[in-house]
Amino acid sequence: KNEVEQSPQNLTAQEGEFITINCSYSVGISALHWLQQHPGGGIVSLFMLSSGKKKHGRLIATINIQEKHSSLHITASHPRDSAVYICAVRYSGGGADGLTFGKGTHLIIQP
Amino acid sequence: NAGVTQTPKFRVLKTGQSMTLLCAQDMNHEYMYWYRQDPGMGLRLIHYSVGEGTTAKGEVPDGYNVSRLKKQNFLLGLESAAPSQTSVYFCASSYSWAGFPEYEQYFGPGTRLTVT
């Protein structure tokens, strides 16, 4: 089974720090998603990308197709960024059922 | 818009009981999904639907059935609940174009199910 690996599993940082969460996958993909799961359990889609880089506010997502790797960056981190961040990929040739999810990175930002 | 809603939010079942989880979306999305989330594991797809009247199996379909009689609703049924089905269940929906499913998924708030 193709895997999606995230690192680190857990990350605690101080407010204001630059945060990087990594995601790697094993074979070719057609798209990669970054999701945020709030402490209350709700899941929100942050980004969907298949190449290059996307930015939304303080969040930046990049993907390197050749290296099969993506990163999610948070600039000027804030306690409200505390959440679980989940990477998911759709492997090339996968249909509507094709998202494979990582186990998530649990981020805590301390004031 | 309410987005994606799930009913109920919490439920406790005894082994062998049955129940139906309801997912509703008001975004006119074609694609709908049921996932389960267990501690230490990523989200796993149970069943999905690419349109009204169609359903298909995902990664972990055993013990579950689904129906999509109306475009806006996707029902997940447990015929005979087992403790292994204790989990948090998420419904999601997404837009599609020309059969291409690659748009962001919108998730419901989840249903926490405990089977004793």
Side-chain angles (χ1 to χ4, degrees):
Chain A
K1 185 179 184 296
N2 296 319
E3 298 287 338
V4 176
E5 299 290 338
Q6 289 187 235
S7 63
Q9 290 184 358
N10 298 283
L11 177 59
T12 300
Q14 295 299 119
E15 184 173 356
E17 287 189 35
F18 182 82
I19 304 298
T20 296
I21 298 170
N22 298 299
C23 175
S24 61
Y25 50 91
S26 52
V27 295
I29 66 170
S30 59
L32 183 142
H33 298 248
W34 280 104
L35 309 167
Q36 180 191 55
Q37 185 166 25
H38 299 291
I43 299 173
V44 175
S45 178
L46 297 175
F47 296 103
M48 191 202 74
L49 63 166
S50 55
S51 64
K53 175 180 175 178
K54 287 191 176 180
K55 184 176 190 290
H56 185 257
R58 295 180 295 106
L59 300 177
I60 304 165
T62 64
I63 188 168
N64 184 319
I65 297 295
Q66 286 72 31
E67 294 187 3
K68 298 184 176 57
H69 180 269
S70 175
S71 293
L72 177 68
H73 304 287
I74 305 174
T75 63
S77 60
H78 189 276
R80 65 175 174 266
D81 298 324
S82 298
V84 176
Y85 292 84
I86 300 169
C87 172
V89 303
R90 187 180 306 281
Y91 286 103
S92 297
D97 67 330
L99 279 184
T100 301
F101 293 80
K103 295 179 182 179
T105 294
H106 189 193
L107 174 66
I108 297 173
I109 303 296
Q110 295 178 334
Chain B
N1 287 349
V4 180
T5 59
Q6 291 183 232
T7 309
K9 290 186 170 51
F10 303 93
R11 186 72 185 268
V12 178
L13 287 179
K14 294 189 191 307
T15 297
Q17 288 184 321
S18 63
M19 78 163 294
T20 299
L21 283 67
L22 170 64
C23 175
Q25 53 95 5
D26 60 3
M27 296 173 283
N28 203 34
H29 286 166
E30 289 291 337
Y31 286 45
M32 296 188 74
Y33 310 83
W34 276 107
Y35 297 99
R36 60 179 288 172
Q37 185 178 43
D38 301 295
M41 303 186 74
L43 286 156
R44 292 182 293 169
L45 182 67
I46 305 171
H47 285 279
Y48 67 100
S49 169
V50 300
E52 182 178 320
T54 71
T55 63
K57 295 180 180 179
E59 180 186 354
V60 289
D62 294 342
Y64 305 96
N65 57 76
V66 288
S67 64
R68 183 111 179 258
L69 299 179
K70 293 182 179 180
K71 185 177 183 178
Q72 63 268 32
N73 295 338
F74 195 28
L75 278 63
L76 178 71
L78 285 72
E79 295 173 343
S80 179
S84 61
Q85 294 177 303
T86 294
S87 188
V88 181
Y89 292 85
F90 288 96
C91 176
S93 72
S94 69
Y95 176 68
S96 69
W97 177 76
F100 187 63
E102 211 53 76
Y103 293 89
E104 65 178 306
Q105 293 194 10
Y106 292 80
F107 286 80
T111 295
R112 187 173 295 275
L113 175 66
T114 302
V115 182
T116 62

